[in-house]
């Protein structure tokens, strides 16, 4: 059995463009700065990339995929999307700290943002609670085909 160690990946001040905010001017993409600290257990002496935490995949998602998502009024929603992406992408992640900052939110401040720290256990409990609160899917009524004779 391979030795495992706790590793930390840091992504600091990554700039992406997202459509987020309640104001009319925030319907279009604006710069959002992202910082992450991803912690988890992985091989102590990795020999291949798949034995490591793939920060390139996270960076690609931040830069390419996430900006294509529809507008949302809350920065909290964006933060939760990022948390979900990181935990769902790599099951070895045990703890996550995320910071999202908007540089155009308040003229008098360099940036305004949110930070959140969450463990995998908390994330899983929140996912279960959300699933339990979700309304059941609507049943589709099947229509019978009639054949004209």
């Amino acid at each position: 059995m391979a030795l495992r160690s706790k590793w930390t990946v840091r992504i600091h001040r990554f700039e992406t463009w997202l459509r987020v905010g309640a104001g009319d001017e925030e319907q279009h993409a604006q710069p959002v700065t992202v910082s992450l600290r991803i912690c988890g257990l992985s091989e102590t002496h990795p020999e291949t990339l798949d034995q490591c935490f793939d920060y390139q995949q996270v960076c690609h998602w931040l830069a390419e995929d996430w900006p294509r998502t529809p507008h949302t009024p809350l920065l909290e929603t964006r933060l939760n999307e990022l948390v979900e992406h990181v935990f769902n992408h790599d099951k070895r992640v045990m703890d996550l700290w995320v910071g999202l900052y908007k540089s155009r939110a308040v003229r008098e401040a360099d940036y305004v943002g949110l930070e959140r720290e969450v463990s995998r256990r908390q994330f899983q409990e929140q996912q279960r609670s959300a699933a339990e609160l979700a309304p059941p899917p609507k049943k589709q009524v099947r229509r019978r085909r009639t054949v004209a004779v």
Side-chain angles (χ1 to χ4, degrees), residues 92-108:
R92 298 170 297 178
V93 173
M94 301 310 299
D95 297 290
L96 174 64
W97 175 89
V98 179
L100 290 184
Y101 312 97
K102 294 177 5 178
S103 61
R104 297 181 184 171
V106 178
R107 214 178 21 200
E108 296 81 9

Side-chain angles (χ1 to χ4, degrees), residues 2 5 9 11 31 33 40 61 84 124 127 131 134-135 141:
S5 295
V9 173
I11 300 171
T33 302
W61 186 82
E84 185 173 333
Q124 290 171 333
Q127 294 293 325
V141 178

